[in-house]
Amino acid sequence: MKPVIDFSECLTDSPRFRSQLQQNEANLEELELKIEKVVKFCNAMTEGGKAYVTQQTHFMASLWEMSTYFATSEQNTADDGDETLSSTTANLNKLIHAFQEIIKFQNTAVEQVNRAVGKGLATFLRNDFKPMKDTKGYFNKLSQDLDSALYKNAAVSKSKATDVEEATNMLTATQSCFNYTALDYVYLTTMLQAKKRHEIVDALLVLVNAYGVFFKQGAELFQEFEPFGKELE
């Protein structure tokens, strides 16, 4: 995988390195904001979907209660040979059962959308963006430390051997840490730039497939239900 910035540029801390780094940072910061917005509205949509499914569940429970009314009436009139109530109870139960299956499909779709987009992209932000941003903070600190070490090394009196040695050692250590962190930062940035398309496309693919399964299951359910529906017309 080709790095987004040549590693040799990192080690020399060239103006080209700083410019390319700034471009990548701005690009990924913009993407992070957009993903956060997607996750936010996905979570809101998921909560709304769950609330809708919950209300449908309450509605279905009220339908079952209504069905028990006919079942009780059927028992009370059984001696009279009334088959109308018995037929009504059976028909209602079949209709409610079909509605119950629809609610199950809806609930599954909502959960899959939440898992793929809400949780999936949130995990992407946490596992990939956060380490990169943490490294960025450490890189910026070391960049300042390196500037300070360079200044002290240049300003130290050459007649003071101990000070010269101390400044040189500090500069060498800081330069080494800076180089290592710069390489790590570019590596994480490269990986993030490479993964972003895959992570986002995969999440949306799962989203679309979840709805595809939902509609397919619904179509199969109504195809099975159609003969019974026509009997009731």
Side-chain angles (χ1 to χ4, degrees), residues 215-230:
F215 286 116
K216 181 180 179 181
Q217 290 175 325
E220 291 174 351
L221 175 65
F222 282 103
Q223 187 175 10
E224 294 176 3
F225 180 79
E226 186 176 2
F228 173 69
K230 289 182 177 180

Side-chain angles (χ1 to χ4, degrees), residues 69-85:
Y69 160 80
F70 286 97
T72 302
S73 299
E74 173 191 338
Q75 292 176 356
N76 293 337
T77 59
D79 295 338
D80 299 332
D82 189 345
E83 297 181 358
T84 301
L85 289 173

Side-chain angles (χ1 to χ4, degrees), residues 29-93:
E29 285 172 4
E30 180 184 3
L31 177 62
E32 183 181 22
L33 290 174
K34 293 184 183 301
I35 293 177
E36 287 176 344
K37 187 174 183 179
V38 168
V39 171
K40 173 185 175 181
F41 284 110
C42 180
N43 290 339
M45 182 176 68
T46 298
E47 291 304 312
K50 289 180 178 180
Y52 178 59
V53 169
T54 298
Q55 293 304 316
Q56 287 188 102
T57 302
H58 294 327
F59 173 60
M60 184 181 64
S62 69
L63 293 178
W64 282 118
E65 290 177 3
M66 185 173 62
S67 178
T68 60
Y69 160 80
F70 286 97
T72 302
S73 299
E74 173 191 338
Q75 292 176 356
N76 293 337
T77 59
D79 295 338
D80 299 332
D82 189 345
E83 297 181 358
T84 301
L85 289 173
S86 176
S87 175
T88 299
T89 302
N91 291 339
L92 280 173
N93 289 347

Side-chain angles (χ1 to χ4, degrees), residues 154-226:
V156 69
S157 174
K158 303 303 180 184
S159 61
K160 298 180 179 180
T162 303
D163 291 348
V164 170
E165 182 180 3
E166 182 180 343
T168 300
N169 290 339
M170 178 61 69
L171 176 59
T172 300
T174 306
Q175 181 73 62
S176 178
C177 289
F178 174 83
N179 289 345
Y180 175 82
T181 304
L183 290 172
D184 192 33
Y185 186 25
V186 169
Y187 171 76
L188 291 174
T189 301
T190 299
M191 294 299 295
L192 189 51
Q193 291 283 23
K195 289 181 65 176
K196 64 183 183 182
R197 294 176 179 82
H198 172 74
E199 292 287 341
I200 293 170
V201 169
D202 270 10
L204 294 185
L205 179 60
V206 173
L207 168 66
V208 173
N209 285 340
Y211 279 110
V213 170
F214 169 70
F215 286 116
K216 181 180 179 181
Q217 290 175 325
E220 291 174 351
L221 175 65
F222 282 103
Q223 187 175 10
E224 294 176 3
F225 180 79
E226 186 176 2

